[in-house]
Amino acid sequence: MSDTATLGPRERVRPTWTEPLAEHASGPFGGPLGRHAVVGRHWFWTPLRVALLLAVVALALGWFGKAACAQQYDAGGGKLELDWRSNRPFTAMCYSDIIPLYSAERLDRPDTFPYRTSWYDDEGEPTQQTRYMEYPVITGMFQWVNAKLAQGWAELAADGWLPSALPVVLYFDISAFWLALAWLVTIWATALVAKRRPWDAAFIALSPLVVVHAFTNFDTLATACAAAALLAWSRKHPTLAGTLLGLGAAAKLYPLFLLGPLLILCLRSGKMRAWWRTAGAAAAVWVACNAPLFLFASTRPGWWEFFRRNSERGADPDSLYNVIMRFTGWPGFDGEVPFGESPFWLNLVSATLFLLLCAGIAFIGLHAPRRPRVAQLCFLVVAAFLLTNKVWSPQYSLWLVPLAVLAMPRWKLLLAWMTVDALVWAPRMAFYLGESNRGLPEEWFLGFVVARDLFVVVLCALVIYEIYHPARDLVRRFGEDDPVAGVLADTPDKVVVKPRPVEPAERERVPTG
């Protein structure tokens, strides 16, 4: 149904009218919503509750996808062991960092405390190295608490009070439960932020990336904080938004990047006081989370482990730098880096490229004829980080999902990107399996990596196009300025860089094709 202009200025956007994907999918259920249908009267099934239900379905599929790696077998004499025989994590494509980290981070030991407990990798070898918990504070403590819960469950199970399983299996299940709740918070916050487009949250609830990566690592903790921070900002609570961004940065670094777009938009709107409140709260919360470990000599080396490890990492297989090195034979910026040293030039180039892209995004934010929406700039900044970073772990793509839907809610395009991104997992697992075990050569995996990166570049280009052509922006189609604007709503521009004037045709509503 192309005549979408009949929607009133306060009516909920109806996907079967505006999204070809939803329109075609509605065929078996009677087709698009009728013009005289009564909307919003059901006593229970609101779009938010439908989105949460669909998210539960996707999360259940995600858990079953990883469950093959949490199976047990009898190793003899009634002793149970984790069944990772015959390269099961790669052949079943069920690999999850959560399971090996239980023992790798020494969480299986009763006297372990993150950032204080240390151990040696390659003990007795030339590559011997002292190791600590390698995750930021909140994620590290999250793992430790879940390990204690799993061990407590195992003790009760031994007494016959609860069903029994290996502690590592219990640890995975308990972690998955909390990570699922964090993703539900992400969906909840995104649906409330979207306002007149609540069905967008239902769309991302079934994202293929969630099915594949919700339990690959601990990233839904950060997505929940970031989405809740955007909700708080949209409700004109900058201090609360900063608090949530600080918590998110203490779990994963990326929520801190959202302060950049807010800085540019507050500068353009003359609302710097709100930004300082947000940035101050984020800094205070991050310091409060980290100070207890940094201030004590027994935990300071462990606290620094996250930064040291990230500094010393080379170009991961899924980075553009590795793609270029593999396909061209180029040895990289630093060549062969000695053990224990950081790839100086790679770190410098990666950081410089990211800062240059951020400068370009800042220029767009100040130069566009109409102030860009918050989600548009946030998506561009996070995408710029992933594209220029030396590491793009597969679960990092979850960072983009809620931002992409808020920035450019074009369902067909986003579904295509999320499907391609999720499919990278299959050649990745086949590559890690090894050609000697009938896996795939690295080139197959890198080909999918290039396809994913190109898709993200296309999304960025389209977001920039819509920033400079506001009439093509689906969110602004019915006169809504920016659902995430918060204190920026209805404010005149104060600081701009010679903006291009909006053409008269761009002020008109553009019907859906």
Side-chain angles (χ1 to χ4, degrees), residues 10-260:
R10 296 184 179 276
E11 288 186 76
R12 180 189 302 161
V13 175
R14 303 167 188 180
T16 56
W17 291 19
T18 61
E19 288 296 332
L21 179 64
E23 180 181 354
H24 291 108
S26 68
F29 307 99
L33 195 70
R35 293 181 180 275
H36 302 290
V38 177
V39 178
R41 299 292 182 86
H42 197 279
W43 69 275
F44 184 79
W45 288 116
T46 63
L48 174 58
R49 287 171 179 166
V50 172
L52 293 174
L53 175 62
L54 294 177
V56 169
V57 172
L59 290 166
L61 293 174
W63 183 87
F64 279 112
K66 303 297 186 185
C69 281
Q71 294 184 10
Q72 308 169 151
Y73 75 100
D74 190 342
K79 182 182 179 182
L80 294 177
E81 291 187 4
L82 194 66
D83 190 1
W84 276 32
R85 297 171 296 177
S86 302
N87 294 303
R88 176 185 287 268
F90 308 125
T91 56
M93 294 190 291
C94 61
Y95 177 81
S96 169
D97 287 333
I98 299 172
I99 294 174
L101 284 175
Y102 181 68
S103 57
E105 302 285 6
R106 303 307 192 262
L107 298 170
D108 56 338
R109 302 184 180 184
D111 57 346
T112 292
F113 185 79
Y115 313 105
R116 186 182 63 198
T117 299
S118 64
W119 61 93
Y120 292 114
D121 274 355
D122 302 331
E123 188 171 2
E125 302 292 332
T127 55
Q128 177 176 307
Q129 190 176 49
T130 304
R131 290 289 314 280
Y132 296 87
M133 166 67 72
E134 64 180 273
Y135 283 83
V137 172
I138 286 183
T139 302
M141 296 307 298
F142 174 79
Q143 295 177 65
W144 180 72
V145 169
N146 288 337
K148 293 305 178 185
L149 290 174
Q151 292 155 14
W153 181 297
E155 291 178 4
L156 292 174
D159 294 334
W161 290 95
L162 293 171
S164 177
L166 286 172
V168 65
V169 175
L170 297 172
Y171 171 72
F172 170 75
D173 288 339
I174 292 171
S175 298
F177 173 78
W178 297 119
L179 293 171
L181 284 182
W183 186 251
L184 292 179
V185 170
T186 304
I187 298 295
W188 166 79
T190 303
L192 294 182
V193 165
K195 293 182 181 178
R196 294 185 61 208
R197 303 184 59 91
W199 289 109
D200 289 341
F203 169 71
I204 68 170
L206 287 175
S207 168
L209 283 169
V210 177
V211 176
V212 177
H213 293 309
F215 307 121
T216 298
N217 202 276
F218 307 98
D219 291 67
T220 62
L221 300 176
T223 65
C225 291
L230 291 180
L231 175 61
W233 180 269
S234 72
R235 299 293 176 87
K236 301 183 179 181
H237 299 299
T239 303
L240 178 58
T243 299
L244 292 165
L245 290 177
L247 288 173
K252 290 276 184 174
L253 186 61
Y254 98 91
L256 209 59
F257 297 153
L258 304 190
L259 287 173

Side-chain angles (χ1 to χ4, degrees), residues 195-508:
K195 293 182 181 178
R196 294 185 61 208
R197 303 184 59 91
W199 289 109
D200 289 341
F203 169 71
I204 68 170
L206 287 175
S207 168
L209 283 169
V210 177
V211 176
V212 177
H213 293 309
F215 307 121
T216 298
N217 202 276
F218 307 98
D219 291 67
T220 62
L221 300 176
T223 65
C225 291
L230 291 180
L231 175 61
W233 180 269
S234 72
R235 299 293 176 87
K236 301 183 179 181
H237 299 299
T239 303
L240 178 58
T243 299
L244 292 165
L245 290 177
L247 288 173
K252 290 276 184 174
L253 186 61
Y254 98 91
L256 209 59
F257 297 153
L258 304 190
L259 287 173
L262 293 179
L263 170 61
I264 298 304
L265 296 176
C266 286
L267 178 63
R268 176 164 179 158
S269 303
K271 293 289 184 179
M272 288 301 298
R273 183 176 179 181
W275 185 84
W276 282 114
R277 288 172 60 189
T278 304
V285 170
W286 185 87
V287 169
C289 291
N290 287 270
L293 298 175
F294 177 78
L295 293 177
F296 289 97
S298 61
T299 54
R300 189 177 301 138
W303 174 84
W304 183 251
E305 180 79 351
F306 167 73
F307 302 97
R308 183 190 67 81
R309 290 273 294 175
N310 279 277
S311 173
E312 293 182 1
R313 291 179 74 168
D316 265 22
D318 36 22
S319 69
L320 283 175
Y321 309 103
N322 181 65
V323 171
I324 297 172
M325 291 164 62
R326 179 64 180 176
F327 285 133
T328 66
W330 173 55
F333 293 107
D334 300 273
E336 190 70 26
V337 179
F339 176 76
E341 294 187 14
S342 299
F344 173 81
W345 289 109
L346 175 61
N347 290 342
L348 180 62
V349 170
S350 175
T352 301
L353 288 176
F354 177 53
L355 291 176
L356 287 175
L357 288 181
C358 286
I361 295 167
F363 174 80
I364 292 171
L366 297 175
H367 178 262
R370 184 173 177 180
R371 188 186 68 240
R373 293 187 290 110
V374 172
Q376 290 174 320
L377 293 192
C378 288
F379 173 81
L380 291 176
V381 167
V382 176
F385 173 76
L386 292 176
L387 289 169
T388 59
N389 194 31
K390 61 182 181 179
V391 178
W392 186 333
S393 296
Q395 71 277 1
Y396 288 1
S397 297
L398 288 175
W399 304 354
L400 289 175
V401 172
L403 295 176
V405 172
L406 292 173
M408 191 183 58
R410 298 182 180 273
W411 288 14
K412 271 189 175 181
L413 183 62
L414 293 181
L415 181 60
W417 157 61
M418 289 186 286
T419 301
V420 169
D421 204 329
L423 287 175
V424 175
W425 188 245
R428 176 191 297 274
M429 293 292 97
F431 162 57
Y432 287 163
L433 182 62
E435 293 184 63
S436 60
N437 292 316
R438 298 184 180 181
L440 289 176
E442 185 180 6
E443 288 78 8
W444 283 80
F445 164 52
L446 296 182
F448 273 80
V449 168
V450 171
R452 176 201 64 191
D453 290 352
L454 288 176
F455 238 119
V456 173
V457 170
V458 169
L459 292 179
C460 291
L462 289 175
V463 169
I464 294 172
Y465 175 82
E466 291 186 355
I467 288 175
Y468 278 92
H469 300 83
R472 301 299 302 176
D473 186 346
L474 292 182
V475 175
R476 285 173 161 163
R477 177 180 297 274
F478 304 108
E480 187 174 22
D481 179 45
D482 181 1
V484 197
V487 298
L488 306 175
D490 302 320
T491 56
D493 289 339
K494 300 291 186 181
V495 178
V496 293
V497 180
K498 294 182 180 179
R500 178 180 65 84
V502 181
E503 299 295 332
E506 292 182 355
R507 299 192 186 102
E508 300 174 1

